[in-house]
Amino acid sequence: MTQSTRETERKYEVPDTGGFPTMAALSREGKGADGKSKDKSKDKGKKRARAESPGLSLVDGGAHDLDAVYYDTADLRLARSAATLRRRTGGPDAGWHLKLPLPGDDRDEIRAPLQDGVPERLRELALSRTRGARLQPVVRIRSRRSVRDLVDADGTVLAEVALDRVDADSLRPEGGHASWAELEVELASGHGDPALLDRVEKALGAEGFTRSRSASKLARALSETAADASGDSGAKSAPRTASRPRPGTAGAELHAYLTEQVRALVDLDPAVRRGLPDSVHRMRVACRRLRSCLRSYRSLVDREVTDPVRADLRWLGGELGAERDQEVLAQRLREAVDRLPGELVLGPVSARLQAWDVTKSAEARERSLAALSSPRYLALLDALDRIVADPPLRTGASKKAAKVLPKALGKEFDRLADRVDRALRTPAGPERDAALHEARKKAKRLRYAAEVARPALGKPAKRLSKSVKSVQKALGDHHDSVVARDALRRHAVAAHAAGEPGFTWGLLYGREQAAAEALEESLPKLWRAAARARPRKA
């Protein structure tokens, strides 16, 4: 059994005095030496907010002896991606802890009870980083921790301030010993305001405390005990490249985008395994972005290297798609039923929908998890790492981005235009539905291609992406209606076979059909607006 928490914290170097900070500035906030308000702001909103936030104070929270053994692969794959896995005893949260990086000062911490070996659940959540390599002890860190709680006037704990005296010993043959002191400030769960960290940092700065250069205790231990051969274990996942393209070139923009999306894919893996909201959708989008990027700019890369990767990304997106598509469809149908007046819902409509969704969602969930545990998936991650580390760029990638990227965007735009025109000429019916769906896929590809070009091309790429998004959304809503109508027809057939009324299913089908027809009528106008944003030749 595991538990998950989100922690928001900052670490600080301790000045030579070595003592606990008083943080007196926080207790005097908004007051002068006479204790009266010194806020002269003309902004009444700010004055009122400060008046409602009186001085803070520190309350003794006790002391703990902590003993943690950190685990990683032989080549420190977790550390290189700013993740940590430890087995810790002592303190109120003894157990196994897997920490995964989030934007800013946040991290996800997944905890498991103490046991001798690495818990299988944590091993699974680290798989996108370890790729199945053996996890072994790399560093032992013992800390004498003194804790103060930062509380407001009502005694509510807003943050924990901890001073750690650290002793670190490498458990690798070439490692040694290091010791230091550091201060951690972690927001209290449910009470901490992220802006509070900035106020705390200002108060600490007045007493000589400075932000730590290391992302974690492990990062510092690996560096200072010489256990990290790379010399930079604290950096966030930044693949070492054999041949970075020159700045300002098309290859540089392509490489930056690929790096960002590969990192997103790796980071989203644990969230998908945990079933976190929207995680499957975001991981699927990362697959699509990578595929589209390699397809739209295929003239810049060695296709013998990238085409097999594109095929595997298509496979992965398809495996994840079953879960995401079921989620979207079930929500659409539930909301459609909820909008109906009660007298129009005849028969066990909601019960039938629920039973169907439970079965289909379980099947789709199993399919997603099987894909993420497959050798093909791990091989795909390795292949993506190689592309990022040593991009297989062709000669054209060395040309200026402002010259190369508009040409690629123009080609993608023309492909979309051809698909839209073909769909609009097709008579209403299944063939038009299929043609509109193909146009939708081309619209997505153009949007993602514009994302790659936006840093180099600026506003023109932004306008293109925005205008095409409106077309893509209309086409997406139309496709969702097509899928919903097929599902409604199947439900109606099953209900009829069970002797249940089919009225409600037919009513919902009719509404979906009317919505699709309205979208088809709006498409020519949306397309004319988007066509005005066509990229100009450089």
Side-chain angles (χ1 to χ4, degrees):
M1 179 179 178
T2 60
Q3 294 180 324
S4 175
T5 60
R6 176 166 295 190
E7 64 176 25
T8 305
E9 70 173 20
R10 293 181 187 175
K11 297 180 182 293
Y12 298 89
E13 305 283 349
V14 177
D16 293 340
T17 55
F20 210 99
T22 64
M23 299 170 67
L26 289 177
S27 65
R28 307 193 295 266
E29 272 191 350
K31 297 181 180 181
D34 58 359
K36 296 181 179 180
S37 174
K38 64 175 182 178
D39 190 345
K40 304 299 182 182
S41 172
K42 295 181 180 179
D43 187 327
K44 294 182 179 180
K46 289 183 179 179
K47 185 184 292 186
R48 185 163 51 253
R50 180 165 290 186
E52 294 170 356
S53 179
L56 308 178
S57 58
L58 290 172
V59 177
D60 187 10
H64 308 286
D65 289 315
L66 309 177
D67 191 343
V69 175
Y70 286 77
Y71 285 69
D72 208 331
T73 63
D75 55 356
L76 304 176
R77 297 179 185 184
L78 292 179
R80 296 188 197 287
S81 65
T84 61
L85 174 64
R86 71 187 179 200
R87 183 186 188 276
R88 188 163 81 179
T89 57
D93 62 347
W96 284 89
H97 305 156
L98 173 65
K99 295 191 177 186
L100 302 171
L102 294 170
D105 299 308
D106 292 350
R107 287 190 296 178
D108 257 345
E109 181 177 294
I110 302 97
R111 300 177 182 175
L114 283 174
Q115 64 179 62
D116 290 338
V118 178
E120 188 58 32
R121 180 57 172 163
L122 299 189
R123 194 186 301 274
E124 290 175 358
L125 295 178
L127 189 60
S128 66
R129 291 172 164 84
T130 65
R131 313 290 161 82
R134 189 174 76 89
L135 290 165
Q136 59 191 41
V138 293
V139 169
R140 182 184 184 186
I141 297 179
R142 286 166 289 183
S143 305
R144 175 64 177 173
R145 169 166 289 186
S146 301
V147 178
R148 304 285 189 274
D149 292 328
L150 185 64
V151 302
D152 62 15
D154 296 325
T156 301
V157 178
L158 303 181
E160 179 184 271
V161 183
L163 179 63
D164 290 336
R165 312 286 182 183
V166 182
D167 283 290
D169 293 283
S170 173
L171 302 179
R172 292 153 62 87
E174 70 275 23
H177 174 83
S179 60
W180 69 88
E182 69 177 39
L183 191 78
E184 291 185 3
V185 181
E186 180 178 346
L187 294 180
S189 176
H191 292 290
D193 176 2
L196 175 63
L197 288 178
D198 293 331
R199 294 162 56 197
V200 169
E201 185 160 307
K202 184 177 180 180
L204 290 173
E207 299 183 53
F209 288 80
T210 57
R211 284 288 287 271
S212 175
R213 295 183 298 274
S214 298
S216 65
K217 284 185 175 65
L218 175 62
R220 185 163 182 172
L222 290 172
S223 176
E224 296 195 11
T225 64
D228 178 21
S230 76
D232 187 21
S233 61
K236 289 207 173 185
S237 180
R240 289 172 285 178
T241 59
S243 56
R244 287 188 183 275
R246 289 184 296 106
T249 63
E253 300 301 337
L254 184 62
H255 180 253
Y257 191 80
L258 288 170
T259 301
E260 178 184 356
Q261 297 309 316
V262 170
R263 183 178 297 131
L265 202 65
V266 170
D267 287 349
L268 285 166
D269 174 293
V272 172
R273 294 178 190 274
R274 294 161 62 196
L276 298 186
D278 206 39
S279 58
V280 172
H281 171 61
R282 292 165 60 204
M283 191 173 190
R284 189 185 184 192
V285 168
C287 289
R288 285 174 170 167
R289 282 177 164 145
L290 284 164
R291 275 182 58 211
S292 295
C293 175
L294 294 173
R295 170 64 176 79
S296 297
Y297 299 103
R298 62 193 184 280
S299 64
L300 306 181
V301 295
D302 181 352
R303 292 184 59 179
E304 289 189 7
V305 175
T306 60
D307 279 1
V309 172
R310 282 174 50 206
D312 285 343
L313 286 167
R314 182 185 181 89
W315 160 78
L316 179 59
E319 297 302 293
L320 296 173
E323 185 173 355
R324 172 60 180 172
D325 290 346
Q326 176 61 26
E327 178 185 337
V328 171
L329 177 58
Q331 181 178 348
R332 187 182 183 97
L333 297 185
R334 281 196 301 267
E335 291 177 350
V337 173
D338 291 343
R339 285 194 295 267
L340 289 177
E343 63 270 19
L344 299 183
V345 182
L346 305 183
V349 174
S350 295
R352 178 171 288 280
L353 276 179
Q354 183 178 5
W356 160 79
D357 185 35
V358 168
T359 300
K360 291 294 185 180
S361 294
E363 293 173 355
R365 177 69 178 157
E366 185 176 345
R367 183 174 170 182
S368 294
L369 294 177
L372 297 187
S373 300
S374 67
R376 183 176 183 179
Y377 170 65
L378 297 182
L380 169 60
L381 293 182
D382 286 341
L384 288 169
D385 277 352
R386 289 192 293 270
I387 286 176
V388 168
D390 190 9
L393 300 176
R394 299 179 64 189
T395 304
S398 63
K399 297 179 181 179
K400 290 184 178 180
K403 291 286 186 182
V404 175
L405 302 185
K407 184 182 294 185
L409 290 178
K411 289 181 179 179
E412 287 295 353
F413 188 94
D414 291 343
R415 293 187 184 100
L416 171 59
D418 177 68
R419 290 292 185 175
V420 172
D421 291 342
R422 188 182 309 179
L424 293 177
R425 292 195 306 268
T426 304
E431 288 187 8
R432 173 182 271 198
D433 292 341
L436 289 171
H437 183 45
E438 288 301 314
R440 177 199 184 195
K441 291 191 286 187
K442 291 295 186 294
K444 282 186 178 181
R445 183 184 295 170
L446 177 55
R447 274 191 61 218
Y448 298 147
E451 287 179 355
V452 177
R454 185 171 173 180
L457 304 185
K459 290 183 179 180
K462 181 180 179 180
R463 283 196 300 269
L464 175 63
S465 180
K466 184 177 180 180
S467 62
V468 172
K469 184 177 181 179
S470 62
V471 174
Q472 178 197 319
K473 185 180 185 306
L475 292 171
D477 289 343
H478 183 275
H479 179 66
D480 288 348
S481 177
V482 172
V483 173
R485 276 180 279 159
D486 181 66
L488 288 167
R489 187 187 64 80
R490 293 175 185 274
H491 281 302
V493 170
H496 177 76
E500 300 166 7
F503 171 81
T504 302
W505 303 110
L507 176 61
L508 292 174
Y509 187 100
R511 289 190 171 191
E512 286 287 359
Q513 190 169 32
E517 291 171 355
L519 287 166
E520 289 180 32
E521 291 176 3
S522 70
L523 183 58
K525 182 178 179 180
L526 290 172
W527 176 241
R528 285 194 298 270
R532 290 194 289 270
R534 188 192 188 285
R536 297 180 180 179
K537 294 182 180 179

